[in-house]
Amino acid sequence: MKKVFFLVAMCLIAMYMTAQDQRPAQWNPSSTEWFSPVPVKVQPGATMGQPPSDAIILFDGKDLSKWESQKPPSSTERGAQRDPAPWKVENGAMVVVPRSGGIQTKEYFGDCQLHIEFKSPPAENYFSQNRGNSGIFLQNTYELQVLDGDNNETYVNGMVGSIYKQVAPAVNAYTKNGEWQVYDIFWKAPVFDSNGLVSPAMITVMLNGILIQNNYILKGDTPYMGLPKYTPHGRMPLSLQDHGTAVAFRNIWIRNL
């Protein structure tokens, strides 16, 4: 047995020495270094959560000029524009006007990094899906749930931080009702060709600095009823849901990736 081990060891050593001898004579440290293209310089935000220099500011606390109503244009004329976003701006935040309808960005996006902060309205007598419900829809299709997570029992694949009706968050990182909650979202858009889906969407989410969705691969869209499915699309708006409660949003910025 010892002779067998010895022979195996000698064979491995010989193979290693042969591989070393076969390395190109020109190999040196600089053979595996490159100097272009040089990454673009981006200036980070002044404080954590503030937009970096290459971010698109979607809401700066002043107006809703980057947003529009999700409802079809009120005019039937070809090329008619959608109505202005029907929500209100109060104390540096955009606030849902219940039953006015959702809003969407005028600009379309694909792969992106998104920062958005939200605050649930007072709980009062609301509970479950009726407490502080809204939603962040990536590409107008895939919902990351917004909900009051302060002692609010509901189905876990519909709680705050869930990819709606697909997967629960790893943990509940919501703090308290009435406090600002911070989402940082990293979105890889699905890819389609003439035959259908090439690669599915993937999302990573942090809530208040805590990882709650780790490279989750989506099964498709996020319907209220039925199973998820993919329908081919390209770049789409980011949209926010009106679910009947006055959820507030602020400090919204996005980076194209």
Side-chain angles (χ1 to χ4, degrees):
M1 184 62 71
K2 289 183 178 179
K3 287 184 178 181
V4 172
F5 284 134
F6 176 78
L7 290 172
V8 170
M10 292 302 293
C11 288
L12 291 174
I13 292 171
M15 291 170 61
Y16 173 79
M17 295 302 294
T18 300
Q20 294 297 303
D21 292 341
Q22 290 176 348
R23 289 184 302 178
Q26 70 272 22
W27 276 106
N28 57 59
S30 63
S31 299
T32 53
E33 300 167 355
W34 62 88
F35 295 87
S36 65
V38 177
V40 174
K41 173 65 176 176
V42 174
Q43 183 65 35
T47 59
M48 186 65 68
Q50 293 304 303
S53 59
D54 65 344
I56 298 169
I57 311 300
L58 295 178
F59 179 67
D60 62 1
K62 298 177 182 178
D63 60 60
L64 298 174
S65 59
K66 300 292 180 69
W67 301 79
E68 61 187 6
S69 173
Q70 272 196 303
K71 294 180 179 178
S74 53
S75 172
T76 57
E77 294 183 8
R78 184 179 178 86
Q81 301 295 309
R82 293 176 186 270
D83 291 338
W87 297 2
K88 58 186 178 181
V89 177
E90 292 181 342
N91 302 318
M94 66 161 71
V95 184
V96 178
V97 174
R99 291 168 291 283
S100 67
I103 64 174
Q104 65 183 37
T105 57
K106 296 177 180 178
E107 189 168 347
Y108 286 25
F109 301 99
D111 296 356
C112 65
Q113 174 187 350
L114 173 65
H115 178 96
I116 185 168
E117 302 173 16
F118 71 94
K119 183 170 65 173
S120 305
E124 298 178 338
N125 295 322
Y126 296 108
F127 62 94
S128 187
Q129 293 291 301
N130 292 321
R131 258 179 62 178
N133 194 327
S134 182
I136 300 164
F137 283 79
L138 285 305
Q139 296 189 288
N140 221 8
T141 305
Y142 313 94
E143 183 182 6
L144 170 62
Q145 178 71 303
V146 171
L147 195 72
D148 189 335
D150 184 2
N151 193 30
N152 182 31
E153 185 176 354
T154 190
Y155 47 93
V156 296
N157 60 343
M159 68 181 288
V160 63
S162 65
I163 307 305
Y164 188 69
K165 288 290 184 81
Q166 285 199 35
V167 65
V171 296
N172 181 0
Y174 188 100
T175 57
K176 295 180 180 179
N177 176 275
E179 295 183 349
W180 285 100
Q181 313 296 317
V182 180
Y183 269 142
D184 285 291
I185 302 159
F186 304 89
W187 175 253
K188 179 70 176 67
V191 176
F192 303 92
D193 66 10
S194 58
N195 295 316
L197 182 68
V198 174
S199 61
M202 184 167 66
I203 191 170
T204 294
V205 182
M206 298 182 73
L207 176 57
N208 297 322
I210 297 174
L211 184 67
I212 61 169
Q213 298 289 353
N214 185 18
N215 289 335
Y216 175 71
I217 297 174
L218 279 78
K219 298 177 176 66
D221 59 0
T222 51
Y224 176 52
M225 291 187 291
L227 298 176
K229 65 179 181 180
Y230 278 105
T231 301
H233 62 80
R235 294 165 69 88
M236 297 286 284
L238 170 73
S239 59
L240 301 176
Q241 183 185 50
D242 167 20
H243 202 280
T245 54
V247 179
F249 295 92
R250 71 177 186 185
N251 193 22
I252 308 174
W253 52 264
I254 195 168
R255 296 178 65 239
N256 286 309
L257 300 179

